[in-house]
Amino acid sequence: AFGDGGNDISMLRHAAIGVAMGQAEKDVKAAADYVTAPIDEDGISKAMIHFGII
């Protein structure tokens, strides 16, 4: 799961792999398994490469 807002914290904790976007607040990043680059810097793509999905 990918998230960047406080409303995403429970989803990031519940997901098998929770990824916080680089622009997220500290509490969101703390709830994630991995922090990627901001969305404007291709963060989703970079996370998918990191995990070997693409």
Side-chain angles (χ1 to χ4, degrees):
F2 290 87
D4 64 354
N7 62 315
D8 296 324
I9 291 174
S10 62
M11 173 185 67
L12 293 172
R13 289 181 177 156
H14 183 73
I17 300 173
V19 179
M21 303 307 296
Q23 75 275 4
E25 297 292 327
K26 289 180 184 180
D27 58 341
V28 179
K29 291 178 180 178
D33 299 300
Y34 180 74
V35 178
T36 190
I39 192 73
D40 293 344
E41 297 174 20
D42 298 323
I44 292 175
S45 176
K46 289 176 180 177
M48 295 180 95
I49 291 168
H50 171 81
F51 286 106
I53 296 168
I54 58 171

